[in-house]
């Protein structure tokens, strides 16, 4: 018997981490100190908050460096850090620090921004909960996809990489392991949330499933 | 009390979102909670509470809303505290602290000691925390004001109460303080079904424009705000004067002048005097109940401006964004959290910058439309009552049994 796919959703609440950055140096030290959930908030969760504004810098660090520190080259590098490519928050943090380090190293003095413009580190408390929707085959999977909200897509596509610890997502895992739909699983896994917003991603996945069904 | 139901929002946020909120409420369970504030009507807090309480009840929570009592002298003291917390230089005496403590004690009987959660809104009822006798009831302090420039003496006094709560909640991280308790961030939200924000049919909008003598054919630049120097209405007039060199358009400055604020009367007079020199300016001094009128003006606007030099969150920006309008806003306070520069609107710092961005939007209606659409989606995802309610449900869970990172419900073995 095929194992059912249980659709979960994820809700988040923000907590002030008690840490701010006023220049490049304090951003660098802050990035080393804050919890993984703060990196998750500023890198991954920002995809959810601004998921339809694909043309903008998606993560909070790149936006702040661009807007307040006037460091466009560094901002571009930080913006290129696509959380989708990483399977752990630790790796994301290391990549960000690797981009920051040369800039921190070559500066003798650090311009401070006014207090109102400081970067505020935020942590996240996230709750994953069942939506009550279950799929047992491709048609029911497609029907459920049409009904779920963006919290569910975020949980199964974006958060999944960190939970699974590999470059995959819950949909692809289930399609491959339980329905033996390896090619479809692979196609879904190649869709990037950095290139599409969550609604577009959903449409793309539904299109792929329908193509397979027909 | 508003007779609103969560299902009414399904056409706006989608039935999936409503379904998920109900699933989240099941995780919370049928808990009882008491909201306590200082007024049942008037002001943003009472407005928010009216729909939060109704929606929480609709989700099966047992909710009670209690308003504290006090003599006029108490509310004069809390008004002074309010101004001091906003950074105003005011005279604070030991007698004020004594009166605050005394009236807080008189209100202790109003606390529901059997409730699972007591949620205290703003500083006025914060002293009720002394009624706390056990750790079973969780206490949350919801601060609706900006404390970033708070007077040290007043904040120092209130802080002794605040740190006895389990958690504090602020609109923005910039407002958070160094405290020994968790500080959650929940931005405020708008109700898309209220008179201020509901859909209006074209004839309603046209009727209101006619009433105010506004030409519906000419592009409209609009700022809705009190006549207050912090909203810079004179700067808006100057920006409009610059835009007029290039575009045949009209400016509406719509707002009110509080009877208890002599400064607003002076600002209004000054604005009128300056506006007399510039064509097609409409100054509308509206009563505070003009929700449908403001709604119609926002929907009729071509570009909305909010050129504040200081701002709390700026829900008026949220309202305009929800109506699909590109907003040119001062880069201050919560406006910066709402406007993603170049995507959901433009952030500006000067009169010249305001004029430049307004001109840009008037010259490129397709860009204005795209930006307005992105603004509406941003509000839909982040600043509607449904998201606010979701945040509150999660907050109740997080305060009842704190966790870090991601938790699964029900807990996985």
């Amino acid at each position: 018997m095929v194992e059912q796919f249980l659709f979960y959703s994820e809700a988040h609440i923000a907590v002030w981490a008690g840490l701010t950055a006023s220049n490049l140096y304090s951003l660098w030290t802050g990035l080393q100190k804050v919890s993984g959930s703060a990196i998750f908030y500023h890198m991954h969760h920002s995809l959810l908050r601004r998921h339809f504004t694909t043309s903008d810098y998606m993560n909070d660090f790149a936006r702040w460096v661009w807007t307040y520190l006037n460091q466009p080259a560094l901002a571009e590098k930080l913006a290129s850090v696509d959380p989708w490519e990483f399977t752990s928050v630790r790796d994301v943090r290391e990549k960000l620090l690797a981009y920051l380090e040369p800039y921190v190293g070559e500066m003798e003095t650090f311009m401070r921004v006014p207090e109102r413009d400081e970067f505020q580190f935020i942590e996240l408390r996230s709750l994953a909960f069942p939506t009550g929707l279950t799929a047992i085959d491709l048609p029911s999977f497609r029907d459920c996809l049409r009904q779920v909200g963006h919290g569910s897509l975020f949980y199964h596509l974006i958060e999944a990489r960190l939970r699974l610890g590999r470059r995959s997502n819950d949909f692809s895992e289930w399609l491959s392991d339980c329905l033996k739909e390896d090619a479809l699983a692979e196609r879904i896994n190649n869709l990037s949330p950095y290139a599409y917003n969550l609604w577009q991603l959903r449409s793309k996945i539904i299109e792929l499933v329908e193509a397979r069904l027909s | 009390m508003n007779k609103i139901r969560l299902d009414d929002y399904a056409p706006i946020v989608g039935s999936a979102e409503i379904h998920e909120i109900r699933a989240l409420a099941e995780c919370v369970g049928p808990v009882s909670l008491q909201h306590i504030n200082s007024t049942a009507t008037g002001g943003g807090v009472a407005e928010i509470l009216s729909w939060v309480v109704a929606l929480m009840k609709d989700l099966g929570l047992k909710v009670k809303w209690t308003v504290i009592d006090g003599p006029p002298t108490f509310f004069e003291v809390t008004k002074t505290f309010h101004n001091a917390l906003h950074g105003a230089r005011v005279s604070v005496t030991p007698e004020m602290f004594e009166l605050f403590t005394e009236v807080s004690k008189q209100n202790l009987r109003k606390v529901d000691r059997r409730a699972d959660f007591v949620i205290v809104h703003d500083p006025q009822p914060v002293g009720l925390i002394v009624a706390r006798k056990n750790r079973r009831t969780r206490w949350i302090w919801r601060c609706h004001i900006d404390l970033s420039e708070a007077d040290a003496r007043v904040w120092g006094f209130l802080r002794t109460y605040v740190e006895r709560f389990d958690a504090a909640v602020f609109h923005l991280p910039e407002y958070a303080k160094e405290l020994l308790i968790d500080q959650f961030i929940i931005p405020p939200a708008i109700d898309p079904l209220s008179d201020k924000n509901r859909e209006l049919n074209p004839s309603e909008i046209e009727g209101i424009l006619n009433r105010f003598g506004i030409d519906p054919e000419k592009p409209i630049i609009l700022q809705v705000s009190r006549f207050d120097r912090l909203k810079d209405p004179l700067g808006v007039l100057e920006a409009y004067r610059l835009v007029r060199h290039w575009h045949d358009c009209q400016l509406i400055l719509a707002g009110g002048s509080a009877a208890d604020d002599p400064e607003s009367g002076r600002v209004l007079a000054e604005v009128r005097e300056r506006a007399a020199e510039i064509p097609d300016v409409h100054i509308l001094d509206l009563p505070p109940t003009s929700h449908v009128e403001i709604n119609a003006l926002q929907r009729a606007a071509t570009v909305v401006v909010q050129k504040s030099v200081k701002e709390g969150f700026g829900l008026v920006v949220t309202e305009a964004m929800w109506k699909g309008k590109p907003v040119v806003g001062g880069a201050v306070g919560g406006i910066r959290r709402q406007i993603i520069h170049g995507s959901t609107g433009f952030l500006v710092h000067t009169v010249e910058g305001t004029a430049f961005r307004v001109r840009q939007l008037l010259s490129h209606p397709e860009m204005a439309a795209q930006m307005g659409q992105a603004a509406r989606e941003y509000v839909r995802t982040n600043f509607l009552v449904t998201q606010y309610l979701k945040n509150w449900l999660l907050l109740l869970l997080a305060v009842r049994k704190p966790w870090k990172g991601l938790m699964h419900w029900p807990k996985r073995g």
Side-chain angles (χ1 to χ4, degrees), chain B residues 188-392:
Chain B
I190 59 164
D191 179 358
L193 299 179
S194 68
D195 277 346
K196 245 186 214 172
N197 298 303
R198 68 177 167 84
E199 294 291 329
L200 298 178
N201 61 50
S203 64
E204 272 180 286
I205 298 173
E206 209 182 314
I208 288 167
L209 293 183
N210 283 340
R211 181 143 54 94
F212 292 128
I214 294 160
D215 180 356
E217 302 302 322
K218 202 180 266 193
I220 295 171
I221 301 161
L222 169 73
Q223 174 159 305
V224 176
S225 67
R226 281 178 291 114
F227 292 99
D228 181 330
R229 293 199 195 281
L230 295 178
K231 313 293 177 189
D232 199 15
L234 294 170
V236 178
L237 270 175
E238 186 55 23
Y240 169 69
R241 201 180 57 75
L242 296 173
V243 172
R244 286 276 305 184
H245 292 311
W246 308 91
H247 291 275
D248 184 21
C249 54
Q250 54 193 330
L251 173 70
I252 304 172
L253 292 174
S257 49
D260 61 348
D261 180 5
E263 174 68 2
S264 71
R266 280 197 291 274
V267 174
L268 178 57
E270 223 173 299
V271 167
R272 283 201 164 119
E273 192 185 329
R274 190 80 60 90
E277 304 159 5
I278 313 170
D280 290 331
V281 179
H282 305 268
I283 311 286
L284 309 179
D285 184 12
L286 301 172
T289 49
S290 310
H291 302 315
V292 181
E293 286 80 358
I294 296 290
N295 185 347
L297 294 173
Q298 286 170 327
R299 286 182 188 280
T302 318
V303 177
V304 172
V305 174
Q306 188 63 34
K307 205 202 153 304
S308 305
V309 291
K310 191 170 180 193
E311 189 65 72
F313 187 78
L315 277 178
V316 71
V317 171
T318 328
E319 289 163 13
M321 287 170 71
W322 175 243
K323 285 151 194 141
K325 301 299 169 182
V327 180
V328 177
V332 291
I335 297 178
R336 298 193 302 185
R337 294 269 160 187
Q338 300 184 64
I339 295 179
I340 302 171
H341 184 70
S343 179
T344 65
F346 288 117
L347 290 171
V348 292
H349 302 82
T350 59
V351 164
E352 291 78 5
T354 308
F356 173 74
R357 293 303 184 185
V358 171
R359 274 180 61 195
Q360 204 176 4
L361 289 165
L362 291 176
S363 305
H364 300 283
E366 68 297 333
M367 179 181 78
Q370 200 177 12
M371 214 170 245
Q373 192 52 39
R376 183 172 166 86
E377 290 310 312
Y378 194 53
V379 173
R380 197 196 305 273
T381 308
N382 297 286
F383 307 121
L384 290 187
V385 289
T386 40
Q387 183 57 39
Y388 192 80
L389 191 61
K390 226 171 161 177
N391 275 328
W392 267 102

Side-chain angles (χ1 to χ4, degrees), chain A residues 9 11-16 49-50 52-53 56 63 68 116-117 125-128 130-131 147 149 155 159, chain B residues 16 19-20 24 173 177 182-185 336 340 343 374 377-378 382 391 394 403 405-409 412:
Chain A
S9 187
H12 312 267
I13 188 159
V15 191
W16 187 52
R49 274 176 279 140
R50 296 191 275 266
F52 47 84
T53 55
D56 216 298
R63 291 180 60 76
Y68 297 106
R116 65 175 182 277
D117 295 338
R125 307 271 193 276
S126 308
L127 183 82
T131 62
Q147 294 176 59
Y155 175 78
E159 203 277 332
Chain B
H19 182 76
E20 288 188 7
L24 197 53
K177 306 292 279 184
D182 274 345
Q183 297 177 72
F184 291 87
I185 308 301
R336 298 193 302 185
I340 302 171
S343 179
E377 290 310 312
Y378 194 53
N382 297 286
N391 275 328
L394 210 52
W403 74 89
L406 173 71
M407 182 175 86
H408 280 86
W409 186 282
R412 289 174 166 178

Side-chain angles (χ1 to χ4, degrees), chain B residues 79-92:
Chain B
K79 178 72 182 168
T80 304
F81 284 4
H82 181 88
N83 292 338
L85 292 172
H86 270 108
R89 290 188 178 191
V90 291
S91 165
V92 183

Side-chain angles (χ1 to χ4, degrees), chain A residues 181-214:
Chain A
E181 293 282 353
D182 291 350
L184 178 60
E186 183 62 24
R187 283 193 198 103
I188 290 175
N189 207 27
N190 287 336
L191 298 171
S192 165
Y194 239 43
Y196 303 108
N197 72 41
L198 289 169
W199 296 141
Q200 289 169 331
L201 266 181
R202 169 161 71 178
S203 300
K204 293 274 174 199
I205 297 172
I206 290 172
E207 271 173 33
L208 289 172
V209 174
E210 282 186 335
R212 174 74 184 109
L213 283 170
S214 64

Side-chain angles (χ1 to χ4, degrees), chain B residues 30-106:
Chain B
V31 296
S32 59
L33 57 96
Q34 181 184 28
H35 287 281
I36 305 178
N37 79 321
S38 63
T39 174
T41 54
V45 178
E47 193 180 318
I48 287 175
L49 273 175
S50 67
W51 48 254
V52 166
V53 169
L55 289 173
M56 282 181 162
K57 282 183 177 172
D58 189 42
L59 284 172
L61 276 64
K62 297 179 200 115
V63 191
K64 190 190 274 185
W65 177 5
T66 305
V67 177
I68 57 165
D69 299 321
T73 46
F74 171 74
F75 291 104
E76 281 163 23
V77 166
T78 58
K79 178 72 182 168
T80 304
F81 284 4
H82 181 88
N83 292 338
L85 292 172
H86 270 108
R89 290 188 178 191
V90 291
S91 165
V92 183
T93 62
E95 292 73 30
M96 289 179 169
F97 293 129
E98 279 168 27
L99 181 64
F100 184 90
T101 309
E102 183 52 37
V103 175
S104 298
K105 273 186 201 159
Q106 289 164 15

Side-chain angles (χ1 to χ4, degrees), chain A:
Chain A
M1 191 172 154
V2 174
E3 192 184 326
Q4 292 181 337
F5 186 87
L6 304 176
F7 280 85
Y8 272 71
S9 187
E10 187 169 334
H12 312 267
I13 188 159
V15 191
W16 187 52
L19 203 61
T20 60
S22 59
N23 57 27
L24 207 53
Y25 183 78
S26 50
L27 179 67
W28 181 63
T29 53
L31 265 170
Q32 294 170 73
K33 281 185 209 162
V34 289
S35 69
S37 81
I39 305 286
F40 182 72
Y41 175 81
H42 294 296
M43 294 297 294
H44 300 74
H45 188 255
S46 61
L47 287 177
L48 184 64
R49 274 176 279 140
R50 296 191 275 266
H51 73 92
F52 47 84
T53 55
T54 45
S55 62
D56 216 298
Y57 285 167
M58 296 300 282
N59 76 62
D60 295 340
F61 300 119
R63 291 180 60 76
W64 186 71
V65 167
W66 166 263
T67 311
Y68 297 106
L69 296 190
N70 196 22
Q71 295 266 0
L74 176 59
E76 282 180 11
K77 287 182 182 178
L78 294 176
S80 75
V81 181
D82 179 352
W84 185 247
E85 288 179 10
F86 297 86
T87 55
S88 80
V89 169
R90 189 184 62 241
D91 292 346
V92 175
R93 188 197 307 259
E94 279 173 11
K95 186 73 182 173
L96 292 168
L97 288 170
Y99 277 137
L100 274 165
E101 266 157 15
Y103 287 82
V104 173
E106 74 187 20
M107 279 192 175
E108 287 177 3
T109 55
F110 294 95
M111 178 197 80
R112 288 176 73 93
V113 298
E115 202 176 321
R116 65 175 182 277
D117 295 338
E118 286 178 350
F119 186 88
Q120 306 280 339
F121 285 98
I122 304 284
E123 289 179 352
L124 217 51
R125 307 271 193 276
S126 308
L127 183 82
F129 54 97
T131 62
L133 294 167
T134 53
I136 52 166
D137 52 20
L138 277 186
S140 59
F141 179 64
R142 174 200 56 199
D143 295 344
C144 289
L145 272 176
R146 285 182 176 144
Q147 294 176 59
V148 295
H150 58 237
S152 186
L153 298 167
F154 183 84
Y155 175 78
H156 291 300
L157 288 169
I158 297 171
E159 203 277 332
R161 289 213 164 192
L162 307 176
R163 195 166 13 88
L164 297 169
R166 57 180 175 273
R167 289 188 175 206
S168 188
N169 63 80
D170 293 335
F171 297 150
S172 295
E173 292 282 306
W174 179 71
L175 289 167
S176 176
D177 294 349
C178 298
L179 301 190
K180 308 299 174 206
E181 293 282 353
D182 291 350
L184 178 60
E186 183 62 24
R187 283 193 198 103
I188 290 175
N189 207 27
N190 287 336
L191 298 171
S192 165
Y194 239 43
Y196 303 108
N197 72 41
L198 289 169
W199 296 141
Q200 289 169 331
L201 266 181
R202 169 161 71 178
S203 300
K204 293 274 174 199
I205 297 172
I206 290 172
E207 271 173 33
L208 289 172
V209 174
E210 282 186 335
R212 174 74 184 109
L213 283 170
S214 64

